[in-house]
Amino acid sequence: MRVTGVRAYEAGEGCPASVFLLLGEKKEKNSFLLYVTFLHNRIASVGLNEDQKEFQKVAFDFAAREMAPNMAEWDQKELFPVDAMRKAAQLGFGGVYVRTDVGGSGLSRLDTSVIFEALATGCTSTTAYISIHNMCVWMIDTFGNEEQRHRFCPPLCTMEKFASYCLTEPGSGSDAASLLTSAKRQGDHYILNGSKAFISGGGESDIYVVMCRTGGPGPKGISCVVVEKGTPGLSFGKKEKKYLQFKLADMATRLVASRLIIRNAAVALQEEREDAVALCSMAKLFATDECFAICNQALQMHGGYGYLKDYAVQQYVRDSRVHQILEGSVCGCRTEHSPGSQEALHCHRGQQRSDEDADLSKPV
């Protein structure tokens, strides 16, 4: 369908600017995307008070003007966008929930979530770093003494200086209680020994909030030490490509979710519950789709080697794909989701009989 003409949609609450939908011209596609963004922003402001709507609008405007046009270049050239982030700090985004006496904005965590969600529409990775920076400033503001608060927080709130949070180690990630980096006091200072990994802003930041062990094993033996860039003994390795690690985490999450939904369906079937058929169909649909996606992503990560029979991943892809068809296709499973559908029950059982009658000696 093609619509011609020009219509103007004035900016509403939560919309970053006046949006003009120009249909029937060369800019039709981009204009349509702007209109979709306009609608999204209006929905995103539902339930917010007037102050929060204003915070959101400022963040949306900044994201559209300063971040979105540069996002691809920042990513491709692996740039740390200092100038853009300092402009964000001028709007109060360098210490959003930090107390005002040290330069913070003094806003709530809900206000902060609204701001960061809006900023993420411009560049998600840059917004992620800004959120980490904010957390570091908040930690110093909350747990530091007055001298530390007034020394470190003001230049961090203006983003004259940048901060990084250092928790993950080569041998410990989410299991923070197992970290090994140690800090031993010698006179009026601490000597730190250890390594950190996957630090956002590593090598670029000026302040490093380092989680380290000052006591015994477990979480109670962990303290936090602020380390400034240029401290003797502080060094940085090459920049890591985090994409691969995140993909593995996503794949593991999909696998666990598939396992849980299958087990839930199995319990329902064992107990002969009325919703057993629907839950089994949902489990078949979800688990086969997700597990194929996992195997397919694994093959992609192997590159050309993934297609060679020397590597088992190509077989996992083929085997997981066929299970989207065996014992009822995933398309049929979607039909079976209708609550109380007797046809679903008959179809499910009929599919089982036809599969049992099939010649399983023939390749699928």
Side-chain angles (χ1 to χ4, degrees):
M1 181 179 70
R2 182 175 179 79
V3 182
T4 59
V6 178
R7 295 187 63 188
Y9 293 83
E10 291 299 325
E13 294 176 337
C15 184
S18 293
V19 177
F20 295 93
L21 180 59
L22 305 176
L23 298 174
E25 296 187 6
K26 292 181 179 179
K27 295 183 179 180
E28 181 175 328
K29 181 177 180 180
N30 288 337
S31 300
F32 177 72
L33 292 176
L34 284 173
Y35 180 55
V36 171
T37 301
F38 161 69
L39 293 178
H40 167 268
N41 295 346
R42 296 227 26 193
I43 295 172
S45 66
V46 173
L48 303 181
N49 61 39
E50 292 306 312
D51 286 341
Q52 290 165 343
K53 289 177 182 178
E54 185 59 30
F55 301 150
Q56 184 186 58
K57 182 180 182 301
V58 171
F60 272 135
D61 282 346
F62 182 83
R65 184 178 65 254
E66 301 289 346
M67 300 173 76
N70 301 304
M71 177 179 65
E73 182 183 8
W74 293 342
D75 180 61
Q76 292 167 6
K77 296 182 179 180
E78 299 182 358
L79 299 177
F80 190 69
V82 171
D83 291 340
M85 290 192 289
R86 284 178 176 161
K87 288 180 181 179
Q90 292 175 8
L91 300 174
F93 299 159
V96 182
Y97 50 104
V98 174
R99 284 177 279 181
T100 57
D101 66 320
V102 289
S105 298
L107 301 182
S108 70
R109 291 302 184 100
L110 177 58
D111 299 335
T112 304
S113 70
V114 171
I115 290 169
F116 287 161
E117 180 187 0
L119 289 178
T121 63
C123 181
T124 303
S125 58
T126 300
T127 303
Y129 173 77
I130 294 174
S131 73
I132 293 169
H133 172 92
N134 269 262
M135 178 179 66
C136 293
V137 188
W138 170 82
M139 291 175 69
I140 297 173
D141 179 43
T142 303
F143 301 105
N145 58 35
E146 287 302 304
E147 187 275 329
Q148 292 168 335
R149 290 181 64 242
H150 287 276
R151 175 187 172 191
F152 291 113
C153 292
L156 290 173
C157 287
T158 62
M159 285 191 156
E160 174 190 342
K161 293 186 176 182
F162 296 94
S164 289
Y165 179 69
C166 307
L167 172 64
T168 304
E169 297 183 358
S172 67
S174 299
D175 182 18
S178 64
L179 66 82
L180 298 176
T181 297
S182 64
K184 296 183 179 180
R185 185 152 193 170
Q186 290 189 2
D188 61 352
H189 59 275
Y190 283 89
I191 302 296
L192 275 69
N193 281 290
S195 298
K196 297 293 181 178
F198 303 117
I199 306 304
S200 297
E204 304 284 354
S205 291
D206 307 281
I207 300 295
Y208 297 88
V209 178
V210 181
M211 308 304 290
C212 50
R213 190 167 300 284
T214 55
K220 292 185 178 180
I222 298 175
S223 298
C224 182
V225 175
V226 174
V227 179
E228 297 181 77
K229 190 174 184 178
T231 298
L234 178 63
S235 61
F236 305 95
K238 65 180 180 67
K239 292 183 178 180
E240 297 289 348
K241 306 292 186 182
K242 290 189 177 183
Y243 176 77
L244 180 61
Q245 184 190 35
F246 290 161
K247 276 295 180 184
L248 290 174
D250 289 342
M251 293 158 72
T253 301
R254 286 178 165 186
L255 181 61
V256 172
S258 298
R259 180 183 301 129
L260 293 176
I261 196 171
I262 288 174
R263 291 178 180 176
N264 183 54
V267 171
L269 190 62
Q270 179 68 33
E271 295 175 350
E272 299 182 348
R273 284 162 31 192
E274 290 184 358
D275 60 349
V277 172
L279 290 176
C280 287
S281 296
M282 292 177 189
K284 168 65 185 292
L285 169 64
F286 184 88
T288 54
D289 279 356
E290 291 300 305
C291 289
F292 173 73
I294 293 169
C295 295
N296 196 43
Q297 181 61 51
L299 185 145
Q300 185 72 24
M301 292 162 67
H302 277 72
Y305 291 104
Y307 293 92
L308 302 179
K309 287 197 173 183
D310 293 335
Y311 293 84
V313 65
Q314 47 80 29
Q315 184 173 349
Y316 291 141
V317 171
R318 289 186 285 110
D319 291 348
S320 61
R321 179 64 182 88
V322 78
H323 279 85
Q324 292 178 297
I325 302 171
L326 291 176
E327 295 295 332
S329 72
V330 292
C331 295
C333 289
R334 287 187 171 90
T335 304
E336 294 170 16
H337 285 183
S338 302
S341 173
Q342 292 300 314
E343 291 183 4
L345 180 60
H346 297 322
C347 178
H348 178 76
R349 289 174 177 169
Q351 180 65 48
Q352 282 187 321
R353 285 195 294 272
S354 64
D355 285 344
E356 289 168 357
D357 294 337
D359 186 352
L360 300 181
S361 65
K362 295 180 179 179
V364 177

